[in-house]
Amino acid sequence: MQHKDLCGVILNGGGSTRMGTAKSSLTFGSMTSLELIASTLSKVTETIIVNQNEQKNVSYPVVEDIYEDAGPLAGLHAVMRVKPATWFVMSACDTPFVSEEVYHRLIQEADESVDAVIPVYEGRFQPISGIYHIRILDKLDFYLSQGGRKVRGLFEHIKIKEMSTYPDIDQEKLSMHFFNMNTPEEYTLARDLFKKWKR
């Protein structure tokens, strides 16, 4: 399944104001959230880059934002600038239970006719779990330079394919993939879910 030229991107930016501590360093068993995500992405691609603005505490290559305080698009942009891959597989440090099956499904849908494949789950776009083609880099750079920050705003300038059905993936795995934790209460829930997830 590693037939396409892929780069995994883990976004480790943004404030953790509601959590009160860095989400990427929250632990699940012997692994941090970031390590857990990387272990899953490594089943999808051998190349993993972490987007964060400090060069520390990570055993993967780190790329810093060029556009400051510009959200997840700035992270994707920064990695695209330094890594000559074709498709970029996105994840964020607050989604510890991402599924390689979901990513493989997105990758299967990716072809030269689209710039991005974006999952939709329970009626909501999940762009931070999407995959993006390197050809959007110039448009992304221009969009950010003009002050664009919303991911949905970028979608007006690129060709996206929405994917809302996952016939071969069970519902529990899907809900886990799209689960994200922003508060201490959600982290507590995540630790309970982890016990089920790792079985």
Side-chain angles (χ1 to χ4, degrees):
M1 192 56 80
Q2 297 183 357
H3 60 287
K4 287 191 172 81
D5 179 23
L6 302 168
C7 174
V9 180
I10 303 176
L11 301 176
N12 189 21
S16 296
T17 47
R18 285 192 287 164
M19 186 66 76
T21 188
K23 290 179 269 194
S24 59
S25 60
L26 297 172
T27 55
F28 295 90
S30 61
M31 302 173 89
T32 65
S33 176
L34 193 143
E35 289 167 342
L36 199 58
I37 294 162
S39 72
T40 300
L41 277 181
S42 69
K43 298 170 188 171
V44 180
T45 172
E46 294 169 4
T47 306
I48 294 171
I49 294 180
V50 177
N51 164 242
Q52 63 182 39
N53 290 328
E54 292 182 328
Q55 299 279 341
K56 64 178 187 180
N57 299 335
V58 175
S59 55
Y60 295 92
V62 169
V63 173
E64 298 182 28
D65 290 344
I66 295 160
Y67 291 97
E68 293 183 13
D69 300 319
L73 288 179
L76 176 62
H77 168 266
V79 175
M80 283 184 162
R81 283 283 300 270
V82 302
K83 184 64 195 172
T86 305
W87 287 94
F88 292 78
V89 181
M90 293 265 280
S91 180
C93 63
D94 59 358
T95 55
F97 308 123
V98 288
S99 158
E100 70 263 31
E101 287 95 332
V102 175
Y103 285 126
H104 286 323
R105 185 84 186 80
L106 296 171
I107 292 160
Q108 285 170 354
E109 294 296 315
D111 59 39
E112 291 305 304
S113 70
V114 296
D115 298 324
V117 184
I118 307 299
V120 178
Y121 180 65
E122 293 186 339
R124 297 182 64 177
F125 273 87
Q126 303 287 340
I128 310 305
S129 199
I131 64 170
Y132 298 81
H133 196 282
I134 186 67
R135 75 170 73 89
I136 73 166
L137 178 55
D138 287 346
K139 288 179 179 175
L140 176 54
D141 185 60
F142 182 75
Y143 180 70
L144 288 166
S145 74
Q146 299 299 300
R149 297 294 179 261
K150 293 188 184 305
V151 183
R152 292 292 287 268
L154 176 69
F155 290 171
E156 295 170 15
H157 304 285
I158 66 174
K159 286 187 204 158
I160 69 162
K161 179 186 278 190
E162 298 175 24
M163 206 179 79
S164 54
T165 57
Y166 310 85
D168 304 324
I169 304 173
D170 71 59
Q171 185 59 40
E172 188 174 36
K173 189 165 283 186
L174 274 178
S175 69
M176 294 284 277
H177 177 86
F178 294 112
F179 173 86
N180 73 316
M181 51 182 193
N182 291 303
T183 63
E185 292 77 18
E186 285 168 346
Y187 173 47
T188 300
L189 173 59
R191 289 175 69 175
D192 291 338
L193 288 171
F194 175 67
K195 292 167 190 164
K196 282 200 309 188
W197 182 76
K198 68 178 180 176
R199 284 208 296 267

